[in-house]
Amino acid sequence: MLFSINTGLLDACVLAILSRGDEYGYKLTQEVKQVMAISESTLYPVLRRLQKNGWLDTYDQSYQGRNRRYYRITNDGLAQHALYLNEWKEYKRRIEVIFGGETTV
């Protein structure tokens, strides 16, 4: 993809995915990879930052004799997701104005 990925966009995508339900780290990475080129080493610091901000909680669950770390969005995370969603809609509208050749934003 030609467009760069910034921290806010990556945070917004992770929160959007988790707003639909809890996920474990590898599965979450795979979902994000469907829309942007990232590695697991890129995503885990994002998850730690989101958790530090109080937007995610974690819990471990056993799977085939091993523990998986699951990520769950908090109420504060849902509020932040709503903020990102509103900002995205406005940003998208403005970009579509420019790409569409209109003169006013």
Side-chain angles (χ1 to χ4, degrees):
M1 181 170 285
L2 296 176
F3 301 104
S4 63
I5 301 165
N6 67 28
T7 301
L9 182 59
L10 189 51
D11 290 358
C13 287
V14 169
L15 291 176
I17 292 167
L18 292 173
S19 73
R20 298 188 299 256
D22 302 355
E23 289 289 354
Y24 60 97
Y26 178 78
K27 178 93 172 14
L28 185 57
T29 302
Q30 298 310 304
E31 288 192 45
V32 174
K33 276 183 165 182
Q34 290 179 11
V35 294
M36 57 183 71
I38 65 155
S39 66
E40 287 181 49
S41 62
T42 300
L43 186 63
Y44 284 103
V46 171
L47 293 170
R48 283 191 295 275
R49 185 180 62 253
L50 295 176
Q51 187 177 5
K52 183 179 176 186
N53 288 345
W55 300 340
L56 299 182
D57 282 332
T58 62
Y59 61 94
D60 292 336
Q61 188 170 332
S62 179
Y63 177 77
Q64 295 182 349
R66 298 179 65 191
N67 276 340
R68 280 186 176 168
R69 171 135 311 158
Y70 281 80
Y71 296 87
R72 172 179 38 224
I73 195 167
T74 64
N75 287 334
D76 287 345
L78 288 170
Q80 185 64 32
H81 167 60
L83 176 66
Y84 279 138
L85 188 57
N86 289 332
E87 287 290 319
W88 174 254
K89 288 176 184 177
E90 179 59 20
Y91 179 77
K92 180 181 166 194
R93 184 191 68 75
R94 289 174 180 240
I95 294 298
E96 286 174 347
V97 166
I98 292 171
F99 283 1
E102 299 176 31
T103 57
T104 58
V105 179

